Amino acid sequence: MVSKEYQINPWVVMAAFTILVGPFALSFHMHFPDEMYYTDAAVKMLQNGDYLTTYLGNGELRFRKPIGTYWVVLAGFKAFGVSAFSSRIFFLIAGALTVGLSYWLAKILFEDKKLAGISALIIASNPVLIFAATRSIPDVLLGLAMTSSAIGFAGLIKYGEDTPKKFLWILYLSLGLAFEIKGLPAAALGGIGIAYLAFNPWKRISFKTLIHFPSLAIGIVIGLFWFVAMWQIHGPTYLDSFFEDQVGGRVASRYLLILKNGLLATAILFAIYLPWVLLASPKLKKCIQSTWNENKVFFGFALLWGLAILGMGALTTKFYERYLLPVAPVLAVLLAWILVRGGFDLRKKGLKISTWIFLGLSAILGLFAVWLNSNLGSSLFIYLQMAFGLVVWVYLFRLTMRNEKLPKALSYSILLLFFILSTATAKISLPEQGEQVSEFVKENQIDPKEEIGFIGNIHVSSKIRVYLGPEFYMTDLTGEKKKTTEELIVESEGYPNLIVEDKYISEFDEHDFEIQVASVNWDSKKIPFLLQNISNPDFRELVRENGKIYYWLKRK
């Protein structure tokens, strides 16, 4: 019987994740560079009706990633209209679902609701999952699909030769979806997992059980559908771009770089489970031995997947923490297993200290947000959000003072940081360039039939394209390849309207254009200076002098 303190409802944890991460995720408080590839392509799909071919903002073809992520962005646009919210909503939901699947994974393996609940709390507070859920890029979708496949593996680990067919369906359909999201990394982890089940020395599973042709066939169809379609439409040349991204452009051959990336990946893997991993330190050797003896097969599986992702990370030319996400939920279950069997909940002092640290950080961040918003003024929504954040903070404070539900208090205190952070960044980042340009277009009644050329940071152009929607046709003249100013001027001659970054504006003659300011934002390099002068009566003018400006140029 699980004590009331550890009766953790996964739906509540999923809801907490969605609510506390949502405000930061569903506006462009931060815009990750790779998001432009997926939002630009999805807008192009709405414009040309071709839902298979992916384009860059400058109109060039891009085949570096499979179609899965593009379709998720497109689904958001179809369901809610084209906006920052709709570009990310399904990625936030994917993050919450990953939390729920982690609970289910642990419950299947151990039939222990306490252990399953701790697994959900650990992965919900994992910063890699949190950040991935705030970006419209493949990583959180891959993490969700691989966690789903891990449930299939868990069924095989638990039931062996008597595995119910539903687990094989879950396994192969999930791997098919994972391949359609990210490609070769999904195939590698799936292949390693299947080989492990077939050859591990403790509980081998026959190929007769592993190879379930109906689910395997449909999984292969799902995984390869887009690749076959691209072969039919564009021929084999598209594979050059795909393999360059998947292998050629990412796999390192220099030993020193491999060692550096491997050490970095290992350090980050440890860091993303802080402070939970520190709570396992007392009697760690004994706890590991105990869990190993309890279920060698799962322990070996989790360890192998962890080593595999570290190996893949080491082989990349540049390692990013998000590469760890596909195995993060499995490792969260492993860590929860070690913690629960080691009686971590009896070490209340460590749980309380950890929670106090994050509540303290939230308090500091909250005071900063109050100071910032009171000086600059803000919307009713932001003030209501700050009030709600205070209510949650007080609730977690009381739980910690009373030594009640400490694992939940710790997990939620980490999530609360991101909730409060969005009340501060709202004044620094928002309204961002896309929203401002959209308002400019409405106020000036710009004709959507007139094409727009963009010269400037292409990540900004992506945000503007999202807010303008499919009615406006905007082309990135800057592109990803370096061009001279003269080349940009020549290419811009065919466009009646231009959006131009301030550093290029001196190249355009005001006798040829009507020039107006379309957006003004804080320059990230000048944030410390602007914060120091926030009470200056001429603050708006200071922002304009020290900010990043985009101009609207209409050809005369």
Side-chain angles (χ1 to χ4, degrees):
M1 181 70 179
V2 180
S3 67
K4 187 176 181 180
E5 183 171 355
Y6 290 98
Q7 290 178 356
I8 299 167
N9 187 327
W11 293 102
V12 173
V13 183
M14 292 164 66
F17 181 92
T18 305
I19 292 169
L20 295 177
V21 178
F24 189 74
L26 299 177
S27 294
F28 288 146
H29 291 267
M30 292 179 65
H31 189 259
F32 192 72
D34 285 4
E35 289 186 83
M36 69 176 184
Y37 299 124
Y38 304 98
T39 55
D40 285 355
V43 171
K44 292 285 186 183
M45 288 176 180
L46 291 174
Q47 290 175 333
N48 60 29
D50 180 358
Y51 297 148
L52 291 174
T53 307
T54 54
Y55 293 89
L56 294 170
N58 61 1
E60 294 179 1
L61 294 170
R62 183 181 190 266
F63 296 122
R64 294 193 168 209
K65 291 290 188 295
I67 199 66
T69 306
Y70 300 95
W71 279 354
V72 173
V73 176
L74 180 66
F77 287 169
K78 286 280 192 178
F80 304 105
V82 181
S83 66
F85 172 92
S86 60
S87 73
R88 289 177 166 181
I89 181 61
F90 288 125
F91 295 84
L92 176 63
I93 292 172
L97 289 174
T98 302
V99 174
L101 289 185
S102 300
Y103 180 95
W104 189 20
L105 172 63
K107 194 166 180 289
I108 289 169
L109 285 165
F110 302 104
E111 297 182 355
D112 184 334
K113 289 185 178 180
K114 176 181 177 180
L115 196 158
I118 299 301
S119 300
L121 292 175
I122 290 174
I123 194 62
S125 60
N126 189 302
V128 173
L129 177 64
I130 293 169
F131 276 114
T134 67
R135 303 164 175 169
S136 50
I137 57 176
D139 300 282
V140 72
L141 302 178
L142 178 63
L144 175 63
M146 293 310 299
T147 307
S148 180
S149 77
I151 289 172
F153 282 119
L156 287 160
I157 289 170
K158 182 175 182 179
Y159 297 105
E161 300 294 345
D162 299 319
T163 300
K165 293 295 187 288
K166 69 176 182 180
F167 289 107
L168 291 161
W169 280 100
I170 291 171
L171 172 61
Y172 289 119
L173 295 186
S174 299
L175 289 177
L177 288 170
F179 192 81
E180 200 67 272
I181 291 165
K182 197 69 181 275
L184 297 181
L189 286 172
I192 289 169
I194 292 169
Y196 173 79
L197 293 184
F199 299 109
N200 78 85
W202 306 288
K203 190 177 183 180
R204 294 182 183 178
I205 299 174
S206 67
F207 282 105
K208 182 179 179 181
T209 299
L210 286 172
I211 306 302
H212 180 247
F213 284 105
S215 58
L216 179 59
I218 294 178
I220 290 173
V221 169
I222 292 172
L224 297 181
F225 161 75
W226 178 77
F227 295 89
V228 174
M230 289 298 96
W231 184 284
Q232 292 290 325
I233 297 170
H234 298 285
T237 54
Y238 87 95
L239 284 174
D240 295 338
S241 176
F242 175 75
F243 282 116
E244 173 65 21
D245 176 76
Q246 299 273 302
V247 182
R250 293 189 180 273
V251 176
S253 58
R254 290 175 291 175
Y255 295 114
L256 188 60
L257 181 59
I258 292 172
L259 178 62
K260 175 186 172 183
N261 285 340
L263 292 174
L264 178 62
T266 303
I268 292 176
L269 184 62
F270 175 83
I272 64 176
Y273 291 103
L274 290 173
W276 301 98
V277 70
L278 296 179
L279 299 173
S281 55
K283 302 179 181 178
L284 179 60
K285 184 178 179 180
K286 184 178 179 180
C287 291
I288 290 176
Q289 186 64 49
S290 173
T291 50
W292 169 260
N293 291 331
E294 180 183 347
N295 192 335
K296 293 182 177 68
V297 183
F298 173 68
F299 198 110
F301 174 81
L303 188 62
L304 181 61
W305 259 25
L307 291 173
I309 207 70
L310 290 176
M312 285 188 271
L315 289 172
T316 58
T317 52
K318 188 173 183 180
F319 177 78
Y320 295 97
E321 79 289 338
R322 65 182 190 274
Y323 294 165
L324 300 172
L325 189 55
V327 305
V330 171
L331 295 179
V333 173
L334 176 64
L335 177 57
W337 182 26
I338 293 171
L339 286 171
V340 171
R341 295 297 184 259
F344 86 107
D345 48 312
L346 300 176
R347 296 187 287 276
K348 294 184 181 295
K349 185 177 180 180
L351 283 165
K352 289 185 72 172
I353 290 173
S354 300
T355 307
W356 285 129
I357 289 172
F358 287 103
L359 287 178
L361 291 173
S362 292
I364 294 169
L365 192 56
L367 290 172
F368 171 71
V370 169
W371 172 75
L372 192 62
N373 284 278
S374 61
N375 274 279
L376 298 179
S378 196
S379 65
L380 176 61
F381 176 81
I382 292 295
Y383 288 122
L384 290 175
Q385 186 181 336
M386 287 194 290
F388 180 76
L390 178 61
V391 170
V392 174
W393 191 92
V394 170
Y395 168 70
L396 298 177
F397 179 88
R398 292 183 66 187
L399 287 181
T400 309
M401 287 292 292
R402 296 176 178 180
N403 289 331
E404 295 177 359
K405 302 179 181 179
L406 291 177
K408 184 181 291 186
L410 174 55
S411 181
Y412 290 0
S413 67
I414 296 172
L415 290 169
L416 183 61
L417 272 174
F418 291 86
F419 185 83
I420 295 176
L421 176 63
S422 64
T423 64
T425 55
K427 298 308 301 178
I428 297 173
S429 303
L430 305 179
E432 41 73 40
Q433 295 93 340
E435 186 176 351
Q436 292 184 55
V437 170
S438 177
E439 287 300 316
F440 176 89
V441 165
K442 291 176 183 176
E443 290 174 5
N444 291 272
Q445 299 181 333
I446 305 296
D447 187 354
K449 295 178 182 178
E450 296 182 355
E451 291 194 28
I452 304 165
F454 180 89
I455 297 176
N457 188 316
I458 56 177
H459 305 301
V460 172
S461 79
S462 176
K463 293 188 285 185
I464 293 174
R465 184 174 285 105
V466 166
Y467 273 92
L468 291 179
E471 293 80 16
F472 287 85
Y473 286 78
M474 185 177 75
T475 301
D476 295 338
L477 303 181
T478 316
E480 292 187 286
K481 299 175 183 177
K482 287 188 177 181
K483 296 179 182 178
T484 64
T485 303
E486 291 75 17
E487 288 175 323
L488 292 173
I489 297 297
V490 170
E491 289 186 30
S492 70
E493 291 177 355
Y495 294 87
N497 297 300
L498 297 173
I499 299 174
V500 179
E501 187 178 349
D502 50 15
K503 69 179 182 180
Y504 295 102
I505 195 64
S506 61
E507 304 296 331
F508 294 87
D509 193 333
E510 61 182 12
H511 294 98
D512 298 327
F513 296 92
E514 295 177 13
I515 302 176
Q516 300 180 71
V517 173
S519 72
V520 181
N521 288 87
W522 293 33
D523 188 332
S524 58
K525 297 176 182 177
K526 300 293 181 67
I527 288 176
F529 169 78
L530 291 171
L531 289 176
Q532 290 171 14
N533 291 274
I534 201 167
S535 58
N536 191 315
D538 299 320
F539 182 75
R540 290 184 180 276
E541 189 61 32
L542 281 176
V543 171
R544 183 158 180 158
E545 292 174 0
N546 296 275
K548 180 59 66 175
I549 302 176
Y550 280 83
Y551 295 90
W552 186 281
L553 279 64
K554 184 173 180 61
R555 200 175 295 275
K556 293 181 179 178

